[in-house]
């Protein structure tokens, strides 16, 4: 079991999937998903509620105060030379605390035959104050992401200092029910302290910079109706390794929330330079099952 | 060193933010809007929300459907077991009429007074909002009309929840 942590983590994720699905189905009539459709967002690549690349201040799933909820997410990103798969699970307690776990697997077959970079991310997010929809402050949340590489050999070889790190972020999200064109619209701003190289997949800190630095992330979107949203993300990133230049990320996305159970996000992504290869443009697809 | 550049997408997002902020603060007051009806083509946009909802008959139908939706939701139905439904129907129409710039004056108590001591939970308020959404959907009201009504009712959330 210890020899194969990789398979164990994957198995755990799928067991969580199963448990939550069963819970969800048996609890359809209980008071456990009172928030409004789409207000739980999607599942980000780090497991927290958000868009593809930006964690938002909203908490996963549809749990309101005194309720339990959560989400399971699977995503696939494909750029010119790389691809990444993420499986994640998040639990929302009373719309106050979100706990999440994500496993990222980044395929670098094009630069190192048969190799991939993997890490686990354990996240916690606290809703501090405000509200997404109702007239008060924007919803504000404080989050932590503990990231740990499964194997440090490649990150080490390219100059990363450590195989684990903690990101701390503060996010604020506001949705206007009657925004531009009488459509609902939202804006999210996130400030993150991080020393992760390419999310942490290439380790933490490097020869150019070993300390946490502040980066800014932004999402905005417009709901065509309650079930379809179009938006964009921007995510600034550190640039700690002299071996590989790291760029900021951006995407334009379409999100579909047919009901509170399902969310699908499709995005066109621009990931800049990764591992020394420029213009990593491509797509991102994620499916979320939520409660 | 970390070089930071702000690409087009970031600028667009900021633009969205600015547009959103402006659009929530620059709505004309109803009296100006009514007075500015000058030509036939802007008649649609100049309609009050009350008119968009179908006036007296529209609000009556909406209130009735809303009550049906409340009755079908286990989370909120228990709150209404002692309610005089015909009075509730009448007062709700009157309040919505006033809130949507219709020719009515709401005669009931303030929202805060009505919900005082009830200790209504956030989830119950959200359940009510979703009952209204289902009611508006079943009457096939355009999303643009629905959003305007939701915005005007959402401001009461702090007066209802936790009182």
């Amino acid at each position: 079991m210890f020899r194969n942590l990789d398979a164990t983590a994957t198995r755990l994720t799928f067991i969580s999937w199963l448990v939550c699905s069963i819970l969800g189905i048996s609890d359809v009539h209980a008071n456990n998903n009172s928030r409004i459709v789409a207000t739980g967002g999607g599942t980000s690549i780090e497991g927290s509620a958000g868009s593809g690349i930006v964690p938002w201040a909203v908490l996963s799933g549809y749990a309101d105060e005194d309720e339990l909820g959560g989400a399971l997410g699977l995503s696939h990103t494909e750029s010119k030379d790389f691809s990444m798969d993420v499986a994640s699970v998040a639990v929302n307690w009373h719309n106050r605390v979100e706990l999440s776990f994500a496993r990222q697997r980044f395929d670098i077959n094009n630069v190192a035959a048969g190799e991939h970079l993997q890490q686990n991310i354990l996240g916690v997010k606290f809703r501090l104050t405000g509200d997404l929809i109702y007239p008060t402050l924007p919803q504000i949340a404080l989050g932590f992401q503990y990231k740990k590489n499964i194997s440090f050999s490649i990150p080490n070889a390219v100059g990363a200092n450590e195989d684990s790190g903690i990101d701390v972020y503060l996010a604020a999200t506001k949705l206007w029910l009657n925004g531009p064109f009488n459509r609902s619209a939202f804006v999210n701003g996130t400030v993150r302290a991080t020393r992760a190289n390419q999310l942490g997949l290439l380790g933490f800190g490097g020869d150019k910079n070993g300390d946490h630095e502040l980066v800014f992330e932004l999402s905005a979107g417009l709901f065509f109706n309650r079930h379809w949203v179009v938006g964009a993300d921007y995510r600034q990133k550190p640039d700690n390794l002299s071996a590989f230049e790291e760029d900021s990320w951006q995407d334009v996305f379409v999100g579909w929330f047919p009901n509170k159970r399902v969310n699908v996000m499709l995005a066109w992504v621009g990931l800049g330079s990764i591992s020394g290869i420029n213009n990593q443009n491509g797509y991102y697809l994620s499916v979320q099952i939520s409660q | 060193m970390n070089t930071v550049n702000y690409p087009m997408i970031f600028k667009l997002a900021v633009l969205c933010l600015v547009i959103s902020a402006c659009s929530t603060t620059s709505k004309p007051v109803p009296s100006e809007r009514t007075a500015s009806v000058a030509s036939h083509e802007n008649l649609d946009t100049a309609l009050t929300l009350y008119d968009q909802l179908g006036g007296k008959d529209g609000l009556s139908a909406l209130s009735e459907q809303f009550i049906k939706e409340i009755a079908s939701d286990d989370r909120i139905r228990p709150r209404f077991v002692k309610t005089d439904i015909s009075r509730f129907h009448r007062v709700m129409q009157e309040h919505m009429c006033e809130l949507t710039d219709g020719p009515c004056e709401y005669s009931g108590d303030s929202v805060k007074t009505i919900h005082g001591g009830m200790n209504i939970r956030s989830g119950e308020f959200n359940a009510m909002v979703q009952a209204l959404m289902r009611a508006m959907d079943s009457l096939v009201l355009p999303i643009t009309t629905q959003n305007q009504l939701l915005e005007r009712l959402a401001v009461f959330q702090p007066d209802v929840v936790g009182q």
Side-chain angles (χ1 to χ4, degrees):
Chain A
M1 194 165 180
F2 287 104
R3 272 177 302 167
N4 203 346
L5 271 175
D6 186 3
T8 310
T10 312
R11 218 171 290 141
L12 268 177
T13 309
F14 281 96
I15 290 169
S16 316
W17 257 86
L18 205 63
V19 170
C20 291
S21 306
I22 293 163
L23 271 178
I25 289 159
S26 62
D27 267 3
V28 164
H29 299 293
N31 299 349
N32 57 4
N33 58 349
S34 294
R35 277 157 62 217
I36 296 164
V37 70
T39 59
T43 299
S44 71
I45 48 173
E46 288 157 318
S48 335
S51 53
I53 57 173
V54 178
W56 296 346
V58 302
L59 271 53
S60 197
Y62 293 99
D64 213 311
E65 291 166 13
D66 339 306
E67 299 174 354
L68 262 184
L72 305 155
L74 281 177
S75 75
H76 181 77
T77 310
E78 188 90 40
S79 71
K80 188 164 61 90
D81 297 286
F82 303 102
S83 70
M84 181 169 79
D85 290 287
V86 184
S88 64
V89 54
V91 175
N92 175 344
W93 182 79
H94 291 194
N95 200 25
R96 184 56 66 185
V97 183
E98 174 195 280
L99 263 178
S100 62
F101 175 79
R103 159 62 69 92
Q104 296 176 334
R105 182 190 161 106
F106 191 93
D107 189 331
I108 52 168
N109 196 40
N110 273 8
V111 292
E115 295 286 347
H116 47 256
L117 304 167
Q118 290 192 94
Q119 68 172 346
N120 288 330
I121 303 173
L122 191 61
V124 59
K125 191 195 304 184
F126 302 94
R127 180 169 66 92
L128 300 181
T129 186
D131 192 279
L132 177 66
I133 301 172
Y134 300 117
T136 159
L137 285 172
Q139 184 157 322
I140 296 172
L142 176 67
F144 301 85
Q145 293 173 341
Y146 171 73
K147 303 174 171 182
K148 176 97 164 67
N149 296 156
I150 307 283
S151 162
F152 189 53
S153 56
I154 293 173
N156 191 33
V158 300
N161 296 347
E162 287 176 54
D163 71 344
S164 69
I166 296 180
D167 285 4
V168 183
Y169 63 91
L170 194 65
T173 316
K174 193 74 200 170
L175 183 142
W176 292 268
L177 286 165
N178 186 29
F181 318 109
N182 298 119
R183 260 46 187 210
S184 298
F186 76 92
V187 172
N188 172 84
T190 301
V191 185
R192 183 193 301 252
T194 182
R195 52 198 209 108
N197 311 321
Q198 298 293 11
L199 305 175
L201 289 160
L202 283 178
F204 302 82
D207 53 331
K208 278 161 82 179
N209 176 30
D211 295 327
H212 279 84
E213 68 179 284
L214 283 184
V215 289
F216 296 89
E217 302 169 17
L218 200 66
S219 299
L222 190 68
F223 280 85
F224 176 74
N225 59 29
R226 275 195 275 284
H227 306 289
W228 287 95
V229 61
V230 177
D233 296 318
Y234 170 79
R235 175 168 174 168
Q236 209 180 25
K237 304 206 351 289
D239 189 18
N240 299 333
L241 302 173
S242 55
F244 297 135
E245 186 191 336
E246 181 169 346
D247 290 329
S248 57
W249 283 359
Q250 50 234 294
D251 68 64
V252 176
F253 65 85
V254 177
W256 180 45
F257 296 85
N259 51 49
K260 293 187 194 177
R261 192 62 85 207
V262 177
N263 163 243
V264 179
M265 295 262 204
L266 179 65
W268 288 265
V269 298
L271 308 180
S273 179
I274 296 179
S275 300
I277 312 182
N278 292 335
N279 302 320
Q280 294 303 320
N281 301 324
Y283 72 88
Y284 161 84
L285 176 69
S286 91
V287 178
Q288 170 184 271
I289 305 294
S290 49
Q291 166 65 28
Chain B
M1 292 298 291
N2 186 35
T3 49
V4 177
N5 56 0
Y6 296 97
M8 183 56 79
I9 204 159
F10 181 72
K11 290 171 190 163
L12 280 175
V14 172
L15 186 66
C16 285
L17 171 64
V18 172
I19 291 168
S20 314
C22 295
S23 72
T24 54
T25 53
S26 63
K27 292 196 180 67
V29 297
S31 56
E32 285 172 1
R33 189 165 48 190
T34 316
S36 73
V37 178
S39 65
H40 195 68
E41 41 289 15
N42 69 6
L43 197 59
D44 279 347
T45 53
L47 285 176
T48 62
L49 180 53
Y50 175 77
D51 295 327
Q52 293 178 51
L53 288 162
K56 189 173 187 299
D57 291 345
L59 278 185
S60 177
L62 178 59
S63 304
E64 191 178 323
Q65 190 60 36
F66 185 24
I67 290 167
K68 285 181 187 164
E69 296 293 345
I70 292 169
S72 72
D73 191 329
D74 295 340
R75 286 171 298 192
I76 43 180
R77 188 183 46 234
R79 291 286 193 180
F80 293 89
V81 285
K82 290 178 186 163
T83 303
D84 174 346
I85 296 298
S86 68
R87 182 180 180 279
F88 179 56
H89 183 234
R90 180 174 53 77
V91 176
M92 180 169 29
Q93 279 181 77
E94 194 179 272
H95 198 186
M96 285 212 266
C97 173
E98 186 187 85
L99 288 171
T100 58
D101 310 320
C104 315
E105 214 167 304
Y106 174 54
S107 60
D109 290 327
S110 80
V111 172
K112 195 166 179 162
T113 307
I114 292 168
H115 299 91
M118 290 180 74
N119 198 23
I120 290 176
R121 293 176 300 114
S122 166
E124 292 177 285
F125 188 88
N126 278 331
M128 285 290 279
V129 170
Q130 288 161 98
L132 179 62
M133 287 173 166
R134 289 195 302 275
M136 293 190 293
D137 282 346
S138 76
L139 296 177
V140 207
L141 290 169
I143 191 73
T144 50
T145 304
Q146 295 193 20
N147 285 342
Q148 292 174 68
L149 182 59
L150 289 170
E151 179 188 44
R152 293 184 194 200
L153 293 172
V155 299
F156 291 107
Q157 196 263 7
D159 291 341
V160 173
V161 172
Q163 295 294 319

